[in-house]
Amino acid sequence: MKFLSAFLLGNALTNAADRFLPPWQYDGTVWPLPQSMTVTQEFQILDANIQFVLTPESPQCDIIPDIFQRYQDLIRSHFKIASSSSKKLKFSASSAAGIIETIEVKIINCENYPSQNMNESYTLQVGSPTPEKVELTASAEWGVIHGLESFTQMIHNIDYRPSMNILHWHIVDLQSFPYESQVLPELSFLGSYTPLHVYTIHEIKDIIEFARLRGVRVVPEFDTPGHTDAWGPGGGPKFLTPCYHNGEPDGSHGPINPIYQENYDLMRKLFTEVNEVFRDSYLHLGGDEVPFGCWKSNADITAYMAKNNLTTYAQLEQLWVQGMVDIAHDLKKNYVVWEEVFVNGVKISNETVVEVWKGRSGTWKDTMNAVTKSGHKAILASPWYLNIISYGVDWEGYYVIEPTDFNGTAEQNKLVMGGSAAMWGEFVDGTNILQRIWPRASAVAERLWSDKSVNQPGPARWRLNEWRCKMLARGLPAQPAIQNPNVNPNFGYCPYPFDPFNNAHYLF
């Protein structure tokens, strides 16, 4: 839901709406649609040796050489697959207006690291005022990425890269603790599936840097006090709450035991390290699905609550959450919690960001209304759980959702930070996760990035199919976006050079 401005020469079929046109007639569209875009009937020709040039007044942002190299490779790769003798690529349709030899990039400021307040805006001018030059002006390096992405998408049969700018990494859960901490190594040694099934800090930093070079933030989630079964062996004998039945231990354990100071000390030690590894200003503290039954069965907790005048288990939960918030404050981290923390009546400050994930039938609107009415910022996840699959096309349901559609005031709407497309891992692994995510997540990306009026599946249908074809060309095994051509030959197929089954030039 960031501001994005672009002025492009390109595809003349922007008003095709829901007509069933051959997919190649949608070549050169942009996904997600910019906030503002001017389209003409002209096309440009790209020179095979197109050059990227930084204006003299622009600062030297450290990721710019990587960005230029990456997009030069993307453009030049299509000269290779278009024709071994071809030296030029068509940029649009209709009458030619000139040959583009240079992309001139002007940057106002270097921000170095993506953040909540990063400036991703850009303007892109093609063919005007100079036919031989593309002019891209970006407020920061992130706008360069998005501007060049829009430019490459306007080229017929060019490569694809999804547009999302945050990875919310739910890195640990009750089944496994794969984060290999250097200060608390026993957590992963005893809590991971095996000592081989871990993320080392070196690997995590590689992922963060890979994301940074693409203008993507990485926000980790260490979900507590629930979802912590795997923490128990490494957390110590008092970390998880022993559960009782008829006054006797039943051998099971519940959430983190919030009555012991050493558990807060452990979390402070862990989060201090996490703060050094993950540079983003936000940390997700979790707080969802905390079962109170085990706490209720434990006599030590009952005695503690009586001694400290705690009358509800939401107050006990608040005790733990406040401890985590205090640690986040001390580390100068902003924080996000799941909606249960708010719904359970835990007292949280207005600094708290609440992520709404329940109510996929539409009751999420009531929660979003209540959260923003109370003065808290909100993130909507409820309608976009990609792990929930159904027969047929489901991305169209994602595409019509508007996060501010809950009858709130203008001030409430300002508190909606955006949305999240979730892929939970109960039924996915490396064999099927990419197919499940793409291109369905692209529908969510455009819904959150483009103007709120861009919400009609009809005009998006063939554009999304073209996206899917581009992903296949990149080597990303995206599932069909619309009806399979084996059922209806007017739908869903990828023309040369995108079809991996008919194209020897399949890109990886």
Side-chain angles (χ1 to χ4, degrees), residues 38 158 501:
T38 300
I158 198 59
F501 300 103

Side-chain angles (χ1 to χ4, degrees), residues 96-131:
I99 300 175
I100 299 175
E101 300 173 343
T102 305
I103 300 177
E104 184 180 87
V105 178
K106 178 180 179 180
I107 306 173
I108 306 303
N109 183 48
C110 295
E111 295 183 354
N112 300 320
Y113 208 85
S115 69
Q116 173 61 28
N117 297 316
M118 62 182 177
N119 194 327
E120 299 174 276
S121 63
Y122 69 89
T123 58
L124 181 65
Q125 292 181 293
V126 180
S128 175
T130 308

